[in-house]
Amino acid sequence: MTSATTHKQDSPETVRCYVLTVSDSRTDATDKSGDAVVELLQGAGHELTGRRIVKYDPAMLRGALKSQQNNTDVIITTGGTGITMRDSTFEAITALLDKHLDGFGELFRMLSYAEIGSAAMLSRACAGTLGRTAVFSLPGSEHAVRLAMTRLILPELGHVVRELRR
């Protein structure tokens, strides 16, 4: 048995998660990506500690992240990971992270490349730690969110939290 297998067996089955959508245009009624994250988390048996939509404002985003870091195990953001002038999620989040999980972004882009081709390079999805809280930053596309959640985040969520609690 590998150590990763052992770690997964010792990992919590339910973790506390907060969902944060970064958008100037989405509302509670139109936030399909945020809805997808919530649906997939709850479908996997995880606890939703809250949900919020914030504008493309780095200071507001950093404040929202900091306000939740002690209340939850995982923060998942959607939106603002592209390269337009307004996309500032990557810069705001990476400036706060204590440790970066570079493999998450690399694997996400690899999986995206298999589905959408070279346009996958435009995504700046990233992940890391903020104290003992894991942060995953996903694109605003519902399809991209479902890909990241089902193929990368949900299979390792308990394992990530286990490691952060050590």
Side-chain angles (χ1 to χ4, degrees), residues 90-157:
F90 178 85
E91 289 78 13
I93 289 177
T94 58
L96 286 179
L97 296 177
D98 299 313
K99 295 183 180 182
H100 297 255
L101 297 174
D102 294 331
F104 172 78
E106 294 163 358
L107 288 169
F108 175 75
R109 284 181 284 280
M110 179 194 74
L111 292 169
S112 293
Y113 178 78
E115 293 194 5
I116 65 169
S118 58
M121 78 170 100
L122 299 176
S123 172
R124 298 184 304 149
C126 62
T129 65
L130 181 59
R132 292 183 171 247
T133 301
V135 178
F136 293 93
S137 179
L138 310 179
S141 154
E142 181 183 355
H143 182 78
V145 163
R146 289 184 181 280
L147 177 67
M149 290 295 296
T150 59
R151 299 285 304 277
L152 298 172
I153 297 172
L154 289 174
E156 294 299 325
L157 202 54

Side-chain angles (χ1 to χ4, degrees), residues 3-4 6-8 10-12 99 129 132 156-166:
S3 62
T6 302
H7 289 179
K8 283 186 180 185
D10 296 339
S11 299
K99 295 183 180 182
T129 65
R132 292 183 171 247
E156 294 299 325
L157 202 54
H159 186 192
V160 169
V161 170
R162 175 198 183 274
E163 292 301 303
L164 285 173
R165 290 179 179 172
R166 292 180 51 190

Side-chain angles (χ1 to χ4, degrees), residues 4-98:
T5 303
T6 302
H7 289 179
K8 283 186 180 185
Q9 289 176 345
D10 296 339
S11 299
E13 291 183 23
T14 301
V15 299
R16 299 170 305 139
C17 302
Y18 188 84
V19 178
L20 188 59
T21 297
V22 183
S23 175
D24 286 338
S25 60
R26 299 218 175 136
T27 65
D28 291 340
T30 63
D31 183 17
K32 301 302 178 203
S33 295
D35 290 343
V37 175
V38 169
E39 167 200 322
L40 292 165
L41 285 170
Q42 290 179 330
H46 299 293
E47 176 188 344
L48 183 67
T49 60
R51 181 176 175 182
R52 181 175 170 196
I53 298 174
V54 297
K55 301 285 184 201
Y56 285 126
D57 178 294
M60 187 180 285
L61 175 55
R62 285 190 300 271
L65 290 166
K66 287 179 184 178
S67 75
Q68 293 304 313
Q69 82 177 86
N70 295 318
N71 302 326
T72 194
D73 299 312
V74 177
I75 300 170
I76 300 174
T77 73
T78 69
T81 62
I83 60 170
T84 71
M85 292 302 291
R86 299 285 296 148
D87 291 327
S88 56
T89 301
F90 178 85
E91 289 78 13
I93 289 177
T94 58
L96 286 179
L97 296 177
D98 299 313

